[in-house]
């Protein structure tokens, strides 16, 4: 299948991460691999934090595979990265457990360094995404993603050679205006002709809160209505 992007937006606590994490079981049943990483408000100056977490998780998954399967992954990844594996190890430390120590690479300027990383990461991603093992990459709290991550996000999404990859991004849309780096990145992706699928999550309606409480207490809706009124008044239906 093609490379696809799904965005899940909504206020903090509305249930974006919980919703996305529900797909882990069906992904595993289809022999897919689900990996995730999360950005933090205090880490915005640190490049690739969410990417690093997600692909470290990928490497830990590979280490649980039988020896014969792991060796096939090792060969596939080594072929993709060539002699430049250290470039990826700097961002994905756990990858060293898969492909072993790597020789150092030549020092180049800042822009050349980022370009080299992007190209190598594209090669790596093409190698690990296949019809036999499709990959789902979930990046949470994209409103706090650093510029380098957003650039890589865009590079991957406009690469027509990457297949069998679903990227899911969750973000707080009330913190992202038209001039936000994430908005500008998504605009570039759309202008490249890429379709972006979106899901917006709202707070629970008053009747949903009452239904949830009634189900939890195994009671009738009329009986739980006063409690539902109180809960809704305090939470406005925010699930968290």
């Amino acid at each position: 299948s093609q490379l696809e992007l799904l965005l899940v937006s909504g206020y903090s606590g509305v249930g974006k991460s919980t919703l996305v994490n529900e797909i882990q079981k069906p992904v595993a049943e289809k022999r897919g691999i689900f990996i995730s990483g999360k950005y933090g408000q205090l880490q915005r100056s640190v490049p690739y934090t969410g990417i690093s977490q997600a692909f470290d998780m990928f490497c830990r998954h590979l280490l649980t595979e039988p020896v014969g399967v792991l060796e096939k992954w090792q060969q596939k990844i080594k072929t993709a990265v060539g002699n430049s594996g250290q470039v990826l190890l700097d961002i994905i430390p756990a990858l060293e457990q898969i492909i072993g120590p790597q020789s150092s690479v030549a020092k180049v300027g800042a822009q050349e360094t980022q370009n080299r990383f992007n190209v190598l990461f594209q090669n790596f991603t093409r190698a690990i995404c296949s019809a036999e093992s499709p990959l789902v990459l979930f990046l949470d709290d994209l409103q706090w993603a650093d510029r380098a991550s957003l650039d890589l996000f865009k590079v991957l999404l406009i690469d027509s050679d990457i297949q069998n990859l679903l990227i899911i991004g969750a973000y707080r849309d009330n913190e992202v205006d038209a001039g936000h780096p994430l908005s500008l990145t998504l605009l570039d992706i759309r202008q490249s002709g890429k379709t972006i699928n979106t899901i917006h999550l709202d707070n629970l309606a008053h009747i949903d809160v009452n239904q949830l409480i009634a189900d939890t207490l195994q009671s009738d809706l009329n009986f739980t209505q006063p409690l539902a009124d109180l809960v809704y008044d305090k939470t406005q239906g925010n699930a968290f």
Side-chain angles (χ1 to χ4, degrees), residues 31-33 58-74 98 132-133:
R31 295 173 300 147
I33 301 172
F58 173 77
C59 294
R60 291 195 298 274
H61 168 81
L62 294 191
L63 291 170
T64 67
E65 296 280 17
V67 174
V69 175
L70 177 58
E71 287 175 349
K72 288 180 181 177
W73 280 105
Q74 287 173 327
I98 308 297
E132 296 75 32
S133 297

Side-chain angles (χ1 to χ4, degrees), residues 80-110:
V81 302
N83 297 322
S84 303
Q86 185 59 45
V87 172
L88 291 185
L89 296 192
D90 291 339
I91 306 301
I92 313 171
L95 186 59
E96 185 170 354
Q97 297 176 60
I98 308 297
I99 62 174
Q102 300 290 299
S103 54
S104 58
V105 295
K107 298 282 187 184
V108 293

Side-chain angles (χ1 to χ4, degrees), residues 48 51 80 87-88 91 110-126 146-159 162:
Y48 306 116
I51 298 281
V87 172
L88 291 185
I91 306 301
Q111 188 58 54
E112 291 87 346
T113 297
Q114 181 159 345
N115 291 342
R116 179 173 63 187
F117 176 77
N118 287 348
V119 169
L120 202 63
F121 207 96
Q122 283 173 283
N123 293 342
F124 171 67
T125 305
R126 289 188 204 113
D146 59 281
R147 290 275 188 167
S149 288
L150 291 175
D151 285 343
L152 180 60
F153 189 64
K154 180 168 62 178
V155 164
L156 293 178
L157 280 160
I158 63 178
D159 184 342
I162 296 177

Side-chain angles (χ1 to χ4, degrees), residues 24-32:
Q24 290 194 53
K25 186 176 179 182
V27 167
E29 288 173 350
K30 297 287 187 182
R31 295 173 300 147

Side-chain angles (χ1 to χ4, degrees), residues 154-199:
K154 180 168 62 178
V155 164
L156 293 178
L157 280 160
I158 63 178
D159 184 342
S160 59
D161 292 328
I162 296 177
Q163 304 287 311
N164 304 293
L165 171 63
L166 171 61
I167 300 179
I168 305 176
Y171 68 100
R172 301 176 184 180
D173 52 355
N174 59 302
E175 296 185 23
V176 176
D177 59 20
H180 190 282
L182 176 59
S183 296
L184 299 176
T185 299
L186 296 176
L187 180 62
D188 286 345
I189 292 168
R190 285 190 177 96
Q191 289 178 340
S192 76
K194 196 75 188 174
T195 300
I196 300 178
N197 301 298
T198 59
I199 297 175

